[in-house]
Amino acid sequence: MEFVKDAKLISILIPVYNEAEVLQKLYSKLQNMAEGLNAYRFEFLFVDDGSADASMSIIRDLAATDARIAWVSLSRNFGKELAMLAGLDNVRGDATVVIDADLQDPPELIPRMIEQWERGFDDVYARRRTRSGESWLKKSTSKLYYRILQRTTRVQLQMDTGDFRLLDRKCVEALRQLRESERYTKGMFSWIGFRKVEVVYDRPARQGGITKWNYGQLVHLAIDGLTSCTTAPLRFSSFMGAVISIAAFAYLLVIVVRTLMWGNTAVGYPSLMAVMLFLGGVQLLSLGIIGEYIGRIFMESKRRPAYLVQSMHESRPE
């Protein structure tokens, strides 16, 4: 294959965790995509996030036959957010495309992303028009969550999008400066700004293996998003405390007036218990919200490295 002299380098960043079933198919699609864009050079950077299957072995075999392939193997499973950071720290391209390994992010969309990048956009993000293979409950709760998140943060978020996007070099450099270990990269993409544009696609179902995201992990990710992007939960806790204090004071006045006018009575035990339980629940909720933020402060105060690399291999783009 012949390349244009001094052709721009496009890095394809692929976080991998137990994706042995689809890696060969993904590589074939990436090859076909790159062959259709011979005006550019490519590197394929796989970040193995502590896979327990044959993913790393397959990546090594691919790298032995294709000089464009690089890989970073993390010392354990750190999670996709930190795997993406490890990839961003090691990509070398003029632009970087972040893509999942499960082929729900179609490589065939990359040429359209590059076209928009060449028009001057710095962040070309893929917005999902449809989402095959996902339940009604998951799609509905996801939509509701992002609507709530958008209303509670001052940063303009991109709706119905994931991590599949093309980032100009300046965006990659900006993301490298954000070193927190408790990461919510979707919010960071929005926070750094730069010129953004969307490309719309129909998201296919997973091509193999099983999803790594169960509902418990999705709830954890949602909490990370809220605590990373906004302090609205803390403000909500303060607002609830103020409202309940006013209501309690008003109720106290009612009791005092009623006692002065009609004397003390023994009735009201059920309502008293209801009020006490309600106040106790609100206090525990508020403490839980405060605890989430304190926990994040605690984790960041340790100043541990975000990830550890077990081994790595650099590409040699033509």
Side-chain angles (χ1 to χ4, degrees):
M1 183 185 301
E2 294 184 359
F3 294 92
V4 177
K5 184 179 180 181
D6 298 326
K8 295 178 181 178
L9 176 63
I10 308 295
S11 296
I12 311 296
L13 167 56
I14 311 120
V16 176
Y17 179 61
N18 292 343
E19 299 288 1
E21 291 186 33
V22 294
L23 283 177
Q24 289 283 0
K25 188 182 296 185
L26 170 66
Y27 173 65
S28 296
K29 286 182 173 288
L30 289 174
Q31 267 190 317
N32 293 335
M33 178 275 300
E35 287 174 0
L37 294 171
N38 56 12
Y40 299 91
R41 296 179 299 134
F42 284 88
E43 81 165 348
F44 307 131
L45 175 60
F46 293 86
V47 181
D48 181 64
D49 188 24
S51 295
D53 64 0
S55 294
M56 195 60 234
S57 176
I58 294 172
I59 293 169
R60 289 177 187 270
D61 291 342
L62 293 173
T65 61
D66 191 337
R68 297 172 299 178
I69 293 179
W71 48 262
V72 175
S73 177
L74 302 185
S75 63
R76 64 170 177 84
N77 177 233
F78 285 88
K80 183 184 177 183
E81 301 288 324
L82 295 179
M84 283 194 292
L85 176 61
L88 292 171
D89 283 344
N90 288 278
V91 291
R92 297 184 290 167
D94 299 291
T96 297
V97 177
V98 183
I99 185 171
D100 287 346
D102 57 15
L103 290 175
Q104 287 188 285
D105 299 339
E108 294 81 5
L109 198 64
I110 293 176
R112 288 172 54 191
M113 292 179 162
I114 294 175
E115 181 181 346
Q116 294 295 333
W117 173 58
E118 291 286 17
R119 291 179 178 176
F121 292 99
D122 304 308
D123 181 349
V124 185
Y125 61 91
R127 183 173 66 83
R128 299 174 291 239
R129 180 167 43 205
T130 60
R131 303 169 68 173
S132 301
E134 295 186 1
S135 66
W136 173 87
L137 176 62
K138 184 176 179 180
K139 288 186 282 190
S140 299
T141 52
S142 175
K143 184 176 181 179
L144 176 62
Y145 166 72
Y146 282 110
R147 298 298 185 274
I148 293 173
L149 186 60
Q150 181 61 81
R151 288 181 175 273
T152 58
T153 182
R154 297 178 182 178
V155 178
Q156 182 64 40
L157 301 174
Q158 289 77 53
M159 309 301 291
D160 302 316
T161 64
D163 301 314
F164 186 26
R165 62 185 64 217
L166 180 148
L167 300 166
D168 184 81
R169 185 74 185 181
K170 63 173 71 75
C171 295
V172 173
E173 294 292 345
L175 289 167
R176 285 177 176 176
Q177 297 179 53
L178 309 181
R179 304 307 299 183
E180 58 256 45
S181 59
E182 300 293 315
R183 303 176 69 82
Y184 183 69
T185 311
K186 293 179 182 65
M188 292 178 178
F189 290 142
S190 299
W191 186 87
I192 62 173
F194 298 104
R195 295 189 63 197
K196 302 181 186 296
V197 68
E198 70 176 31
V199 292
V200 181
Y201 75 110
D202 297 309
R203 194 182 200 201
R206 168 180 277 272
Q207 299 295 301
I210 59 174
T211 179
K212 312 306 183 295
W213 295 97
N214 56 40
Y215 281 104
Q217 291 170 318
L218 290 173
V219 169
H220 180 76
L221 180 65
I223 293 173
D224 280 348
L226 284 171
T227 53
S228 295
C229 296
T230 177
T231 57
L234 290 174
R235 293 182 180 178
F236 173 77
S237 178
S238 300
F239 175 76
M240 284 291 292
V243 170
I244 291 173
S245 296
I246 294 171
F249 181 74
Y251 185 59
L252 176 63
L253 290 179
V254 170
I255 292 175
V256 170
V257 171
R258 187 172 61 185
T259 301
L260 291 175
M261 295 184 64
W262 291 287
N264 190 22
T265 61
V267 298
Y269 177 77
S271 61
L272 178 62
M273 287 301 299
V275 170
M276 289 179 62
L277 291 173
F278 174 70
L279 291 175
V282 171
Q283 288 174 341
L284 289 175
L285 174 63
S286 300
L287 286 174
I289 292 172
I290 295 170
E292 284 291 336
Y293 283 92
I294 292 176
R296 296 180 73 87
I297 295 171
F298 170 69
M299 295 302 294
E300 295 297 336
S301 68
K302 294 181 178 182
R303 302 186 65 83
R304 292 178 178 176
Y307 60 87
L308 294 173
V309 175
Q310 178 170 283
S311 58
M312 62 187 301
H313 168 75
E314 291 188 354
S315 63
R316 298 183 301 279
E318 298 179 21

